[in-house]
Amino acid sequence: MGLYLVNYCYIIIIVLVLGKEVRSQSLKNGYYSASCPRAESIVRSTVESHFDSDPTISPGLLRLHFHDCFVQGCDGSVLIKGKKAEQTALANGGLRGFEVIDDAKAQLELECPGVVSCADILALAARDAVDLSSGPSWRVPTGRKDGRISLASEASNLPSPFDSVAVQKQKFEAKGLDAHDLVTLLGAHTIGQTDCLFFRYRLYNYTVTGNSDPTISPSFLTQLKTLCPPNGDPSKRVALDIGSPSKFDVSFFKNLRDGNGILESDQRLWSDSETNDVVRKYASTIRGLLGFRFDKEFGQAMVKMSSIEVKTDVDGEVRKVCSKINY
């Protein structure tokens, strides 16, 4: 769909990432090993329970984490409810997975009150969601604190399905993520879904003459028109990777290579020389090492993304309830 070290001393480091100042607190593997030893296993079992009931919760949790990190950093601010909170932003429409985070938080508050942040729960849940979808697993550095600010007005710069590659690069670079991270993280769309509303214009009214987007392969165009007729339900859900919609794999990149990308922002990755090289690498059996390269690099990109503008005790807290600040 988007993407730094210290320890308990809560040192604030100012680093320059692509000319932009980004504040980062160090994170640590096993941060809760002493204060809440079962923290990660509780999150895992909670995600697994919800996944067993509804496997589509996996892309929901991934998107929730992504949207959290791109606004105010990875601080759980997207979880806060309110009339002007991030959840109400147009770009955050359809966000899912809040009940999973709330469930895990309730269990953790019984186990070790006031210890595990909602931001960390979300980062762990996103990892577990990928793993449960036959994707990779990775160690998630923890130690984030929860933010106290959540404003819909600050969600206006979230990546959009209508963005050009240049705009996508700009938005990712603003968060310290490069073009390689961009392609790798968008690979999460291998288990994603979207509404007909966000791509139907490519099928019927892409130009003033009403033609279809020429980058869509003819056979796939017919398939998409069947799924999303011109006067059909704009909210109908369609898998972004029709070949293997519930399996986290490299099929998504092969689709882009073959002109079978659903979102224009995804398909355009094939047209840009810099992003094309990464797509080719993942789509290739040899260069992609049978999918192992993407698995490894996706985990690395997720760790990088989940370190964006991490809060410390100075400007954060550990919320008792994820949907509202403590005071």
Side-chain angles (χ1 to χ4, degrees):
M1 188 202 310
L3 7 188
Y4 311 77
L5 298 185
V6 188
N7 52 25
Y8 291 105
C9 297
Y10 303 119
I11 301 174
I12 297 177
I13 299 178
I14 302 297
V15 295
L16 293 179
V17 181
L18 298 172
K20 178 181 178 69
E21 286 191 349
V22 178
R23 181 176 55 200
S24 176
Q25 173 211 5
S26 73
L27 302 174
K28 177 182 177 181
N29 290 323
Y31 181 87
Y32 299 109
S33 58
S35 58
C36 192
R38 296 182 59 239
E40 295 198 22
S41 63
I42 288 174
V43 174
R44 167 72 186 208
S45 63
T46 304
V47 175
E48 191 166 0
S49 175
H50 285 266
F51 176 85
D52 289 343
S53 300
D54 178 16
T56 66
I57 199 63
S58 285
L61 289 168
L62 260 179
R63 182 172 180 244
L64 192 58
H65 182 43
F66 181 90
H67 281 230
D68 181 41
C69 290
F70 264 70
V71 182
Q72 291 279 346
C74 307
D75 65 349
S77 56
V78 75
L79 305 173
I80 297 174
K81 292 182 179 180
K83 292 182 179 179
K84 297 183 179 180
E86 290 173 34
Q87 290 185 29
T88 65
L90 181 63
N92 282 330
L95 284 179
R96 302 177 58 216
F98 297 103
E99 72 281 4
V100 182
I101 307 305
D102 289 342
D103 188 358
K105 179 60 173 175
Q107 295 181 55
L108 286 165
E109 283 301 296
L110 291 174
E111 179 83 9
C112 33
V115 174
V116 183
S117 69
C118 299
D120 275 344
I121 294 173
L122 185 49
L124 292 166
R127 184 270 311 274
D128 295 336
V130 172
D131 184 39
L132 288 167
S133 301
S134 303
S137 184
W138 58 91
R139 298 196 71 184
V140 176
T142 44
R144 299 165 188 80
K145 293 299 182 286
D146 297 321
R148 299 188 181 97
I149 299 172
S150 182
L151 296 171
S153 58
E154 297 196 7
S156 60
N157 204 40
L158 277 165
S160 161
F162 310 113
D163 286 343
S164 66
V165 176
V167 170
Q168 291 183 76
K169 286 181 181 180
Q170 182 182 43
K171 289 181 177 180
F172 274 68
E173 286 172 359
K175 298 300 178 182
L177 302 168
D178 59 28
H180 192 284
D181 297 321
L182 162 65
V183 178
T184 304
L185 291 169
L186 287 185
H189 285 173
T190 183
I191 56 172
Q193 295 181 330
T194 191
D195 295 349
C196 288
L197 171 68
F198 295 112
F199 68 89
R200 191 162 56 187
Y201 71 94
R202 300 183 67 206
L203 312 182
Y204 305 103
N205 195 30
Y206 189 69
T207 65
V208 291
T209 57
N211 293 332
S212 303
D213 185 340
T215 64
I216 305 175
S217 70
S219 60
F220 192 53
L221 178 62
T222 300
Q223 188 177 355
L224 290 179
K225 285 184 173 181
T226 300
L227 290 170
C228 296
N231 297 315
D233 181 3
S235 64
K236 180 180 179 181
R237 303 291 286 171
V238 176
L240 291 173
D241 181 357
I242 292 180
S244 56
S246 60
K247 185 178 181 182
F248 197 96
D249 57 19
V250 295
S251 176
F252 169 77
F253 299 106
K254 295 178 180 180
N255 290 340
L256 301 187
R257 178 195 62 194
D258 299 335
N260 294 338
I262 291 181
L263 296 178
E264 183 174 12
S265 56
D266 286 345
Q267 188 59 55
R268 292 297 172 264
L269 297 177
W270 184 253
S271 304
D272 177 89
S273 59
E274 187 176 16
T275 55
N276 172 279
D277 184 64
V278 186
V279 174
R280 283 181 180 274
K281 177 178 65 175
Y282 290 146
S284 169
T285 300
I286 297 176
R287 289 184 67 198
L289 303 175
L290 301 173
F292 289 109
R293 182 186 295 276
F294 172 55
D295 283 354
K296 178 182 178 182
E297 294 182 358
F298 184 80
Q300 293 171 337
M302 284 292 287
V303 169
K304 186 175 179 181
M305 184 194 77
S306 67
S307 301
I308 295 174
E309 299 170 50
V310 170
K311 301 293 188 296
T312 70
D313 271 344
V314 176
D315 50 7
E317 63 186 12
V318 175
R319 284 184 223 133
K320 297 177 181 179
V321 178
C322 290
S323 60
K324 60 183 181 180
I325 62 174
N326 290 341
Y327 304 102

